[in-house]
Amino acid sequence: MTSQAQPAVRSDEIKRLLDRKKDKMKFQLSHCMRCTLCAESCFLFKAHDKDPQYMPSYKVIHSLGKLYRRRGKVDRAFLESIKKIVWKNCVLCRRCYCPVGIDIPGMIAFARSICRSQGVHPDFEGDAQQSWL
Amino acid sequence: MYAFISGPMVWIAFACFFAGLAFQTMQFLRLSQKKELRALPGKPKAKKKKKGKKAVKKKKAWTLAALFAWADGLFVRQLESLRTSLLGHHVVMAGFTILFHILLFVVPIFLLAHNILLRDALGLSLPSLPEALTDALTFVFLLCAFFFLFRRLFVRQVRAISGPYDYLMWLITVLPFLTGFMAYHQWCDYDLILRVHIIAGELMLIVIPFTKLGHMLFFFFYRFLVGTEYSFGQGKRAW
Ligand code: HEM
Ligand code: HEM
Ligand code: SF4
Ligand code: SF4
C-alpha cells in the first residue's frame, strides 16, 4: 500500500498564506541590508563557531526568502530542507537584534506555520533524540 | 543630451523619488489593513455588532505626568538599546555606518555645486559648506563605502548572504559620490564624468523607494512593529 506516501504540496495554499503577510514579511525581506549585524546576537551562531548558517538573516533568507522568491511553488523535499533551518537552527528565543528592525523570529515563526500547513514539522519521537546543538 | 539630463530628468528623478516613497507607504499601509488572524470557525458572529461608534475604548489618560513618565521610560529604553545594540557589539562597524549615513545626506544637500544648480533652477538654495570640506567629506564617505565593500567581499559571514544584487546596490549608492569626486578633481574627461555623475545621481534617487535602499523609509515602520526592547514606541503598533 502507498498510504504512507505524503500528499502533494498545495502551492496555492502556500501562496495564499504568503500573500496574507506580504506587508510585513516580503517588505522586510527586501529591506534586509545583508549586513550580518544580527549574527552576534544569536547564541546558536556563537555556539557554532560563527558558522554563517546560524546567522538570523541567513536562516530567514534561506527559508521564508526562498518561499517568497518561488511564490510558493515548492515541493516536499524543499519544505523538508527548510524544516531543519526553522526548527533546529532557530529556537525562537527572540534575542536577535537587527538595526533596521527586521523581525527575524516573526519571520521564522511564519515559515514554520507554512511548513505546518503542509504537514511538515519535526517529529518529536525521532528528532528529539538528536542533539539540539 | 546634457540639457535633458540636467534639466527635466532631474525633476523626473525627484518626482519618482517622492512619489515612489508615497506609493510604497500606501502599499504597506494597504497590505497591513487586512486582519492577519481570522476568527476561529464556530465563533459567534453576533459579537461583531457591538462594535458601533459607542464601543468604549479604554484610553490612557494623557495627563502631563503620564506623558513625562512615558517619555522617561522611552528614553531609558532607548539608552538601554544603544548599549545592547550594535553600538555595544560592533563599535567599528557602528562608527563607519553612522558616518556613512550622515555624510550620505549632508554632503549632497549642502554642496556648493548642487546649491548653485538649485538657485539657477528655483531661485532659492540652501546654505553651502566650503568646497574643500565637502570634498574631504566625500573622500571620507568613499572610505566608509569601501570598508563595507571589503567586508562584503572578505568576511565569511557577510559573503554567505551576499549576491549580485547587494553589490549592485552598493554601486548605485557609491557611484554618485565617486563620479562627483572625480568631476570635482577633473579626473579623466570632465564632461563625460559629469554626465555619468548626473545620471548616477538620478538613478539612485529613482531606485531608492523600490529596492533595499528603501530601508531609509521602512526603517521607521519596522522599528514600530517589532515587539522587543529596541522598538520605537511600545512596539505594538497594529497599523
Ligand atoms: C540629480 C542630479 C544631480 C546633478 C545635476 C548633480 C550635479 C553635480 C555637479 C555639477 C557637481 C560639481 C562637479 C564639479 O565640482 O565640477 C556635483 C558634485 C557632487 N555631487 Fe552631484 N549632482 C546630482 C546628484 C547627486 C546625488 C544624488 C549625489 C549623492 C547622493 C551627489 C553627490 C555629489 C558629490 C559628493 C559631489 C562633489 C564631490 C566633491 O566635491 O569631491 N550628486 N554634482
Ligand atoms: C533615514 C535614513 C536611513 C537609515 C535610518 C538607515 C539605516 C541603515 C542601517 C541600520 C543599516 C544597516 C547597517 C549597515 O550595514 O551599515 C544600513 C545599511 C545601508 N544603508 Fe542605510 N539608512 C538610511 C538611508 C540610506 C540611504 C538613503 C541609502 C542610499 C541611498 C542607504 C544606503 C545603505 C547601504 C548601501 C547600506 C549597506 C551597507 C553594507 O553594504 O553593509 N541608507 N542603513
Ligand atoms: S536582518 Fe538586519 S541585521 Fe541581519 S543582515 Fe538583515 S538588515 Fe542586517
Ligand atoms: S530567535 Fe532564532 S535567530 Fe533569533 S537569536 Fe533566537 S535562535 Fe537566533
Side-chain angles (χ1 to χ4, degrees), chain A residues 7-24:
Chain A
V9 169
R10 281 160 297 162
S11 305
D12 54 330
E13 191 180 347
I14 300 185
K15 177 82 168 59
R16 222 193 59 239
L17 284 168
L18 289 174
D19 282 347
R20 208 196 285 174
K21 287 209 181 195
K22 218 169 162 182
D23 56 333
K24 280 168 207 158

Side-chain angles (χ1 to χ4, degrees), chain A residues 32-61:
Chain A
C32 166
M33 294 310 286
R34 309 315 204 226
C35 63
T36 74
L37 290 175
C38 49
E40 297 284 331
S41 54
C42 178
F43 74 98
L44 283 171
F45 170 77
K46 289 193 159 178
H48 284 94
D49 295 323
K50 310 202 171 188
D51 181 346
Q53 274 194 65
Y54 291 88
M55 295 192 299
S57 46
Y58 183 98
K59 292 179 253 188
V60 160
I61 291 164

